[in-house]
Structure formats: structure tokens, C-alpha cells
Amino acid sequence: MKKFLELWSFEWNRAKRFYGFLLAFVTSLQAYAVFHEYKFWKDGYESYRQQGVPAISEQYVLESGNITIAAVTSNSFFVFSIMTAVFALLFYSVFIWYQDWTGKNRFSLRLLSLPGKRFAVYAAKLATIWLLITGLQVWQIGLLYLEELVFSGLIPADIYLDIPLQMASTSASPLSLALPSLFSNYLLYYTTGYTALTLGYTFILMHLSGRWKGVLFAGILAVGLIAAMVLFLRTGITTRLYAEEKYWVMIAVSLVLFLSGTWANYRLLEKHISV
């Protein structure tokens, strides 16, 4: 446990500059999205006012509808900030492995030679990614409340409509994937997400332990998993299940794959990567 905590602290210290820049980038883009959407509305509203319509607010709402925080979350700058954060974390998830295995004096040799279980190296990296993802979610929730407060203050009260923040994004928005409105969706998305990350780490460790042979074996394993999934779907079992049963089958399969990937990663680190 001591080795894990020390390595986790070490990984976090390496990630905090990248993470701070990412949070600042996301915040600045979303702040721009708020004022960009306000200016867009204001220009349209001013044009409407120049028509000299009496009871302009009521008439404007009848013709154009109320404006909500969903206008901000559907803004292209807001969407781009979410997509950038997702891809940045995916990139860093891979980078934190390969940064230790490159160069003449590979730092990975020192990490794996430390006293204690080598699996602590894997656990620290996975826990770091979990911390980055969870921290970004908490930051985004705080940003949403702040953005809603600012945006509602800029728009006249008789035109702005308060809605629950859970309704601030459509099902097709990346925000609905990053911050699902329902706990059941949250559980499904992040169970499958962390399972995919664990399997991705399995393929990375195969490459690091076997080089091109590891890449070949990882490719064969990936093809095998995809083929098994296709064959399972072609059996038609899923067509005879209710929606709730399909949901729990997906959760169960994800957990089995997560545990299998974790066990494989443990074996690869302890038995197949030599220093």
C-alpha cells in the first residue's frame, strides 16, 4: 500500500501541469461560449426591437421561444471543449506508460525494480487516470452552475427560462456522455469506459513485454474479442431480453472483462516484463 500511495503521488505530480492547463483551456472555451451565445442572442434581439413591436418580450418569446442554458451547452465552442478534454485524457492514458519506456536510461527499470509488488505501478497509473476523470467531472459540474448563473444574469428574466441542468444537453451531446443525467447511464458508461481502458492497458503491456510479438498477440486477442461479441449478438439472445435485462448483461460482461484485464495486467507485470 505504501508503494502504491508513493507512486500515485508521483504520477499526480507529473500530471498536474498538464491537468491544470487542460482545466484552464476547458474553462476559457466554455466562458467564451457563454458570451458568444449571449452576443448572438443580443444581436438577434436588437434587430427584433428595431421593428417597433409593442410588448416586445412577450412577442419575442411567442415567435422565438425562451432561451435556456442549453443554448450554451450546444454551442460549438462548448462541445469542442468537452471533446478536447476527452481526447486529451485518452492521449494521456497511453502517454503515461510510454513516457517511462523511452530513452536510453528507461525510468521504467527503476519503477519496476522498487521493493514491493510491481502491480502497484499499474494501480497507480490507473488511479491517476480515475482521479483526472473524476476531478474533471466535478470541475465541469461547478462550471455548469457558474455558467448558468452568469448566462441567466445576462438574459432578461422574462425571456430566460430556468431548466434543470440535467436537461442542458441532448442525448447526442458529448456532455450527456461525460455527465449522464441518470445514475443508471452513469454506471453503464463508466463501467464500460473503465473496462475499455483496462483492456487498452492490457494491449499496451503486451507490447511493452513482447514488442512486435506482443503487438501481434494483442491484435489476435482484440480480433478474438470482437469475433466473440459478434457471434454472441448473432445468436439472437439479446432480442429475447427486456431492456433492463440487456442493461444488466452489459454491466456483467463489462465487469468480467474488467476483472480479466486486471488479472492479465497483473500477470504481465509480475511475470513477463523483465528488468
Side-chain angles (χ1 to χ4, degrees), residues 16 134 227 271:
K16 62 184 180 182
T134 305
K271 305 295 183 182

Coordinates of all heavy atoms in Angstrom, one line a residue, residues 16 134 227 271:
K16 N 0.0 17.1 -12.9 CA -0.7 18.3 -12.5 C -0.5 19.5 -13.4 O -1.5 20.3 -13.6 CB -0.4 18.6 -11.1 CG 1.1 19.0 -10.8 CD 1.3 19.2 -9.3 CE 2.7 19.6 -9.0 NZ 3.0 19.7 -7.6
T134 N -12.5 12.0 -12.7 CA -13.4 12.4 -11.6 C -13.3 13.9 -11.3 O -14.3 14.6 -11.1 CB -13.2 11.5 -10.4 OG1 -13.3 10.1 -10.7 CG2 -14.2 11.9 -9.3
A227 N -14.8 -11.0 -32.4 CA -15.5 -12.1 -33.0 C -16.5 -12.7 -32.0 O -17.6 -13.1 -32.4 CB -14.5 -13.1 -33.5
K271 N 5.2 -11.3 -14.2 CA 5.9 -12.5 -14.8 C 6.6 -12.2 -16.1 O 7.6 -12.9 -16.5 CB 4.9 -13.6 -15.0 CG 4.1 -13.9 -13.7 CD 5.0 -14.5 -12.6 CE 4.2 -15.0 -11.4 NZ 5.1 -15.5 -10.3

